Amino acid sequence: MLMSKIETLVDEGFRVSLIETAFFDGKFEIPHIDAPKDIVVPSGLVPFSRRQRSRDKQDFVCFYEHDVKFREILTHTEDYVEELKQYPGVISPDCSLYIDAPLCVQIASIYLNRAVGYYLSKQGIYVIPNIRWGDERTYTDELLGEKVAFQGVDKHSIVSIGTYGQIRTAESKRYFREGLIAMLDELEPKVVLVYGAMPDTIFHGLETITEFVQYPDWTTRMKQKNIMYKSSVEHI
């Protein structure tokens, strides 16, 4: 009885049932998301909480928003499989990796990202891994002996990153650029999707390394849509 309760508690927090058939990478055993056979570049990205506003469901569903808005996909992943199959694909969850959080918490967020992404891919959903790093312990191998932020992802494929809300201070910009350079060096992706701004202070000099495809954050996208609509009305 006690073991049953423990297994239930663990599964509620870390969704062990999602990765029963997964392969694991590194000493922390991060679930591995296999690269898709073909690279598909999304026509647009829609946040999970706004997915119903995707016109004809042509956007990939992403999770570049506050964690509370996509908590259900982490705790009840199975309940959303059939709905997510209506979209062309999904970006794996962008669980927050706060640079001032304990290392164990940062690693747990990387694990959940891959666990949910792995499960959805095994259900036949096209999944693009989201790459998120925290402080330098996650994107260098100086302390851990491995770059945990990049584990569970194949090289030479397509990945996604989000700058929205992540590069507000000089310190966060420094961490972001350092982690981005480390990711490009480690994974050598053919395509990198970028949700949010691409300031020169971060991306300068990196454009020749891979193909970056930028997407506006949802707020900016809606503002642009309203401006275009207003302009078309004024010309009627």
Side-chain angles (χ1 to χ4, degrees):
M1 181 65 73
L2 178 59
M3 180 58 69
S4 177
K5 290 182 178 179
I6 291 176
E7 289 175 350
T8 300
L9 289 172
V10 170
D11 204 44
E12 286 179 352
F14 292 98
R15 306 310 324 282
V16 177
S17 62
L18 300 181
I19 54 171
E20 292 178 347
T21 60
F23 287 97
F24 303 95
D25 290 345
K27 67 176 67 175
F28 295 102
E29 300 186 349
I30 301 299
H32 189 93
I33 302 174
D34 290 336
K37 293 181 180 179
D38 300 306
I39 291 180
V40 175
V41 176
S43 60
L45 300 181
V46 60
F48 179 73
S49 67
R50 304 283 186 173
R51 62 192 184 281
Q52 299 300 336
R53 298 183 62 181
S54 174
R55 185 174 181 179
D56 298 326
K57 294 183 171 59
Q58 292 302 303
D59 298 302
F60 271 54
V61 176
C62 68
F63 301 87
Y64 297 116
E65 53 186 339
H66 196 290
D67 299 52
V68 71
K69 293 186 177 181
F70 60 82
R71 180 184 298 164
E72 289 295 310
I73 197 68
L74 304 179
T75 58
H76 297 85
T77 313
E78 301 90 337
D79 296 343
Y80 291 92
V81 169
E82 293 307 314
E83 180 185 355
L84 291 177
K85 283 184 177 179
Q86 300 175 40
Y87 298 83
V90 171
I91 311 297
S92 64
D94 187 50
C95 304
S96 294
L97 271 75
Y98 299 107
I99 58 178
D100 57 350
L103 180 59
C104 62
V105 175
Q106 296 185 51
I107 294 174
S109 290
I110 295 169
Y111 162 82
L112 284 172
N113 169 330
R114 306 293 196 270
V116 173
Y118 167 80
Y119 178 79
L120 294 178
S121 70
K122 289 305 176 182
Q123 306 311 306
I125 295 173
Y126 189 98
V127 175
I128 297 176
N130 172 64
I131 310 298
R132 181 78 175 269
W133 50 90
D135 63 36
E136 63 271 2
R137 296 173 296 178
T138 64
Y139 59 78
T140 69
D141 55 12
E142 295 176 3
L143 177 65
L144 303 178
E146 55 189 47
K147 302 174 183 179
V148 66
F150 314 133
Q151 291 178 343
V153 179
D154 284 326
K155 292 185 175 184
H156 311 131
S157 188
I158 181 171
V159 298
S160 184
I161 61 175
T163 62
Y164 181 63
Q166 306 304 316
I167 53 174
R168 294 173 177 170
T169 67
E171 182 183 36
S172 62
K173 287 183 174 68
R174 176 178 69 82
Y175 278 119
F176 200 97
R177 180 174 171 82
E178 288 181 359
L180 176 58
I181 292 173
M183 185 273 284
L184 295 174
D185 180 65
E186 183 73 12
L187 298 181
E188 301 176 357
K190 292 182 179 179
V191 180
V192 178
L193 312 181
V194 182
Y195 182 86
M198 291 182 60
D200 287 341
T201 51
I202 293 176
F203 290 86
H204 177 69
L206 304 179
E207 302 91 340
T208 59
I209 297 177
T210 188
E211 178 184 357
F212 289 102
V213 182
Q214 183 182 15
Y215 300 85
D217 64 83
W218 185 256
T219 300
T220 300
R221 179 178 172 180
M222 290 300 98
K223 286 181 179 178
Q224 292 174 345
K225 180 180 178 181
N226 289 336
I227 291 173
M228 292 176 61
Y229 174 75
K230 181 179 180 181
S231 176
S232 64
V233 170
E234 289 175 348
H235 284 81
I236 294 178

